[in-house]
Amino acid sequence: MNNLDERCINAIRCLAIDAIEKAKSGHPGMPMGAAATAYTLWTRHLKHNPLNPGWTDRDRFVLSAGHASMLLYVLLHLTGYDVSLDDLRSFRQWGSKTPGHPERHHPPGTEVTTGPLGQGISNAVGMAIAEAHLAARYNRPGYQVVDHYTYVMASDGDLMEGVSYESCSLAGHLGLGKLIVLYDDNRVSLAGATALSFTEDVAQRFTACGWQTLSVAAGNDGEEIDRAIRQARAETSRPSLIAVRTIIGYGAPDKQGSCEAHGSPLGAKELTAAKTCFFWPLEPSFFVPEDVAVVFEEAKQSGPSREAVWNELFQGYARAFPDLAAAFQRVMAGELPKDWDKNLPQFPEDTPAVATRKTSETVLQILAAALPELMGGSADLNPSTFTWLKGEGDFQPPTLSGEAIQGKVGGIWGYAGRNLHFGVREHAMGAITVGMAAHGGIIPYTATFLAFADYMRPPMRLAALSGLPAIFVFTHDSIGLGEDGPTHQPVEHLLSLRAIPNLTVIRPADAAETTEAWRMALLNRQGPTALIFSRQNLPLLKRRITEPASALAKGAYILWEATSDMPEVILIGTGSETALAWEAGRQLAAEGIKVRVVSMPSWELFDRQPAAYRNKVLPPTVKVRVAVEAAATLGWEHYVGLDGAVVGMEGFGASAPAPVLYEKFGITATKVAEAARRLRAASKAEK
């Protein structure tokens, strides 16, 4: 590298430490140590357009080590994204474009939300899967309209996290050759040297997982970094890990190479010493020399020209393959096709009892035919969750023959397959799915048992924070799964999911509501959806003619009532237990009690409705309310009031047939009716 390159790298370092010093908060170590790696990638290899951060065929860059956020923000500023010097000056402040850890699209150019270590690199695996699948589905000879790389900058901490091993193991199996990880191998973490806890041979681990592994001995040698990236790009059948040996806090004489450079501002004295080391003026702060600005301006100008070349290619593609081009534009825009839901099943009153997981399977096949962008899988549980797309093939390396795999699903093999086999890797499954949703062009879904939702909670939380429309399917929703026992019977999980802001949880009560639950999940583009399905068979509920199952879109609706007068008792059911509320309502009505039964499949959807609708379903004047759900009861007081009752679980389940469990734990129509009578009697006594 020449002197001008070194000045550009030092500009990155000095802008980063100035911003962190001004904020009195942040992580200067990696921006200083990895500046040369980032500069080489961004100016020599990264295909992007700062004037259009959403360009379809851009390379994806993921800063998995989100604590080094100022490295990303400085690069975005210098290369012409909508990030000003004032934005750098307001790092970590209220209302700033530059939060402490990167947040998707905030600022523009940020692909995913990172900070919880291991999530970003796992998101990147999902992005690489999406790129490979879309390329296999839409590219044609002479028209490589999908042709981009996914780059990651990862830290020691990222590779310590178990989720990164899960994800990278799958990436190696899948042969994702356009996934390149630049590992900032500085051997220092927040609490001290990584040698305190992390002494494995990382390269051998990745080699064992099927990756190409490369190393750069001198982390400030841009030419060596450049050669390694070129070698990684040339390898098309394996993902690549480039271990770049760097010095954390490089240039800060008293702190470099130590944990003191990791997570705190340098301080005035050390900042001055670092700038002196870089031959950088002490004042003004946030200084960008003209010659440095010119270099980055060239990088900025190359973006529109690259996109223009791609646009010309796509125009030719659209002339040659108009239907494919229209479909590609639609899926990348995240738009559903016209009449996509016209063939969804309807269920007559004589429909036999069926598990909602089984109805979900039926609905999923119809949706798969209408939505080619629908793609997903389970954590080795397809025979139990029923979430395969029949006849749509398995997403596998193109070089792997179908005959070599047990359990072949369909005739489409290679990256065009739509069934993902995540293996027993729930955490990775969630994070990879978040990356697929972030990439665009895919509607991704996952599937596992509800009791294992805890394994997936971190990526589900980030999907909600990022507003990404991933669909998380959970089956075996309660003690109703029976003999597998309390290890597999979810109790606190519904409450845990409902506590995540911007996650819509839907627990349908029967086949009709299951259809509507899938419809709502696909219409929800503002965030993720969790669909909760039963293992046991559930009867089709008899509804009021005025309130069909499509009322699920409102979160709760009047399922049945004994009279058109104002009720004196309201019973609320959800999911598997709605039938119990319905049966209890019939018992009370036979006693002359004015009772209303409400189906409430989704708290979140109901809470979004206008107050007038919510008050219509749950009139404030009716205080006698009982909710029933085979789960933790906490939270239901929001709907039954402090004077109401909840029939649910007070502890863990047990191993026994489902009907026995419901009886032993007192989750029955009889118990619901008893609670209602008791509350009604107490209410009358008070009056």
Side-chain angles (χ1 to χ4, degrees):
M1 280 191 159
N2 57 37
N3 289 336
L4 182 53
D5 287 327
E6 290 184 6
R7 282 172 59 76
C8 290
I9 293 167
N10 288 336
I12 294 171
R13 290 170 170 145
C14 291
L15 283 173
I17 61 177
D18 276 342
I20 293 166
E21 191 66 28
K22 186 175 188 303
K24 302 302 179 187
S25 174
H27 299 72
M30 186 172 172
M32 298 176 77
T37 304
Y39 171 74
T40 303
L41 173 64
W42 276 63
T43 59
R44 298 192 183 186
H45 297 282
L46 195 68
K47 180 177 70 171
H48 62 123
N49 181 5
L51 302 183
N52 181 15
W55 171 31
T56 297
D57 202 42
R58 68 191 182 279
D59 290 338
R60 270 60 171 180
F61 173 78
V62 176
L63 181 64
S64 192
H67 55 272
S69 57
M70 189 42 67
L71 178 62
L72 172 62
Y73 302 153
V74 168
L75 288 165
L76 292 172
H77 166 70
L78 290 172
T79 56
Y81 286 81
D82 185 18
V83 180
S84 67
L85 279 178
D86 284 341
D87 292 325
L88 300 186
R89 292 187 181 100
S90 61
F91 179 49
R92 290 181 164 230
Q93 305 308 302
W94 176 265
S96 170
K97 283 185 183 177
T98 50
H101 291 82
E103 300 172 21
R104 175 168 164 80
H105 296 335
H106 186 71
T110 309
E111 297 285 358
V112 289
T113 300
T114 58
L117 293 173
Q119 295 298 320
I121 189 172
S122 303
N123 294 164
V125 174
M127 292 178 169
I129 288 173
E131 192 276 343
H133 178 72
L134 292 169
R137 184 165 288 272
Y138 291 103
N139 285 354
R140 293 296 181 268
Y143 296 101
Q144 300 295 107
V145 295
V146 182
D147 185 15
H148 53 266
Y149 287 82
T150 301
Y151 295 101
V152 183
M153 289 194 72
S155 64
D156 293 301
D158 284 299
L159 302 191
M160 290 182 201
E161 288 284 1
V163 66
S164 68
Y165 170 72
E166 292 181 22
S167 300
C168 292
S169 172
L170 183 59
H173 165 74
L174 294 174
L176 300 173
K178 288 187 175 179
L179 174 62
I180 298 173
V181 175
L182 294 153
Y183 164 35
D184 184 49
D185 183 16
N186 62 40
R187 304 184 188 181
V188 174
S189 60
L190 178 65
T194 56
L196 293 169
S197 59
F198 188 59
T199 53
E200 68 199 55
D201 189 320
V202 171
Q204 285 193 18
R205 190 227 294 183
F206 274 78
T207 299
C209 287
W211 287 56
Q212 173 183 228
T213 56
L214 306 168
S215 63
V216 173
N220 289 324
D221 187 340
E223 299 304 328
E224 189 179 355
I225 295 167
D226 179 63
R227 285 191 294 271
I229 295 174
R230 292 182 186 278
Q231 187 174 344
R233 287 169 59 94
E235 172 57 70
T236 59
S237 62
R238 293 180 293 170
S240 295
L241 176 82
I242 304 172
V244 184
R245 185 72 173 91
T246 63
I247 299 173
I248 191 170
Y250 176 79
D254 292 338
K255 294 187 176 183
Q256 69 176 16
S258 77
C259 63
E260 291 185 15
H262 179 92
S264 299
L266 295 179
K269 180 181 176 182
E270 193 74 352
L271 184 144
T272 296
K275 286 189 175 181
T276 301
C277 176
F278 299 140
F279 302 101
W280 208 255
L282 301 181
E283 295 294 339
S285 58
F286 297 93
F287 172 62
V288 181
E290 287 188 13
D291 56 345
V292 168
V294 168
V295 172
F296 284 106
E297 182 66 23
E298 291 174 0
K300 174 182 175 181
Q301 294 303 323
S302 66
S305 62
R306 283 177 170 176
E307 183 173 356
V309 170
W310 183 84
N311 286 336
E312 185 175 351
L313 173 70
F314 192 83
Q315 289 170 9
Y317 175 71
R319 289 191 293 270
F321 305 99
D323 292 342
L324 273 178
F328 178 73
Q329 288 179 310
R330 180 187 64 76
V331 300
M332 292 309 299
E335 298 172 353
L336 298 174
K338 183 180 180 182
D339 296 331
W340 63 275
D341 56 351
K342 68 177 181 180
N343 292 322
L344 289 178
Q346 302 293 317
F347 298 94
E349 288 190 1
D350 59 352
T351 298
V354 62
T356 52
R357 63 170 176 159
K358 193 65 180 174
T359 304
S360 170
E361 178 189 33
T362 300
V363 173
L364 198 51
Q365 308 317 309
I366 296 169
L367 291 172
L371 301 171
E373 62 267 40
L374 188 63
M375 178 182 184
S378 73
D380 197 44
L381 285 171
N382 274 347
S384 295
T385 59
F386 300 149
T387 45
W388 48 53
L389 303 182
K390 297 176 182 179
E392 293 296 335
D394 295 332
F395 183 91
Q396 290 290 313
T399 56
L400 191 60
S401 75
E403 289 70 28
I405 298 186
Q406 297 296 316
K408 180 175 177 180
V409 176
I412 304 172
W413 288 93
Y415 291 149
R418 293 166 64 187
N419 288 288
L420 278 163
H421 293 267
F422 290 101
V424 187
R425 302 183 179 102
E426 291 90 352
H427 197 171
M429 176 172 68
I432 288 169
T433 299
V434 170
M436 294 168 65
H439 180 281
I442 306 289
I443 298 176
Y445 67 88
T446 67
T448 188
F449 294 170
L450 180 56
F452 304 147
D454 288 344
Y455 285 123
M456 292 175 55
R457 188 176 177 85
M460 294 177 71
R461 182 177 186 271
L462 290 181
L465 196 158
S466 305
L468 288 168
I471 299 173
F472 301 104
V473 175
F474 297 105
T475 65
H476 297 59
D477 69 343
S478 67
I479 59 171
L481 70 88
E483 292 85 346
D484 275 344
T487 59
H488 285 53
Q489 291 166 3
V491 173
E492 74 279 18
H493 300 77
L494 284 166
L495 176 62
S496 175
L497 295 180
R498 288 165 176 160
I500 300 176
N502 202 39
L503 172 65
T504 300
V505 181
I506 307 177
R507 187 171 182 240
D510 64 0
E513 282 193 1
T514 299
T515 296
E516 299 305 319
W518 267 108
R519 192 197 310 271
M520 289 307 301
L522 289 162
L523 289 173
N524 178 19
R525 310 305 296 169
Q526 307 307 311
T529 303
L531 299 177
I532 317 295
F533 299 130
S534 73
R535 177 184 185 273
Q536 72 273 32
N537 292 339
L538 302 177
L540 188 73
L541 299 171
K542 294 182 179 180
R543 295 174 168 80
R544 300 195 324 166
I545 296 176
T546 56
E547 297 285 356
S550 58
L552 175 142
K554 296 180 179 180
Y557 61 98
I558 301 170
L559 177 69
W560 177 86
E561 55 189 352
T563 174
S564 59
D565 296 336
M566 180 66 69
E568 52 184 326
V569 173
I570 297 177
L571 307 180
I572 308 172
T574 182
S576 309
E577 292 73 57
T578 307
L580 301 180
W582 186 89
E583 184 181 340
R586 290 299 178 116
Q587 293 178 17
L588 296 175
E591 301 167 15
I593 297 174
K594 297 177 182 179
V595 59
R596 170 180 292 179
V597 178
V598 170
S599 176
M600 185 179 284
S602 176
W603 291 8
E604 296 79 19
L605 291 176
F606 185 63
D607 288 348
R608 292 171 198 161
Q609 303 309 310
Y613 178 79
R614 287 184 277 119
N615 291 337
K616 175 185 174 183
V617 176
L618 301 177
T621 56
V622 182
K623 304 298 184 182
V624 180
R625 302 182 186 183
V626 180
V628 55
E629 185 171 58
T633 59
L634 184 63
W636 275 106
E637 63 273 7
H638 180 57
Y639 303 102
V640 301
L642 297 178
D643 297 326
V646 185
V647 176
M649 296 292 293
E650 300 300 331
F652 292 113
S655 178
V660 174
L661 292 171
Y662 274 91
E663 183 67 32
K664 294 295 185 182
F665 286 110
I667 303 176
T668 64
T670 299
K671 293 294 185 182
V672 173
E674 287 176 358
R677 292 189 196 99
R678 184 175 63 254
L679 291 178
R680 179 172 176 266
S683 176
K684 286 183 176 294
E686 288 179 4
K687 293 179 180 179

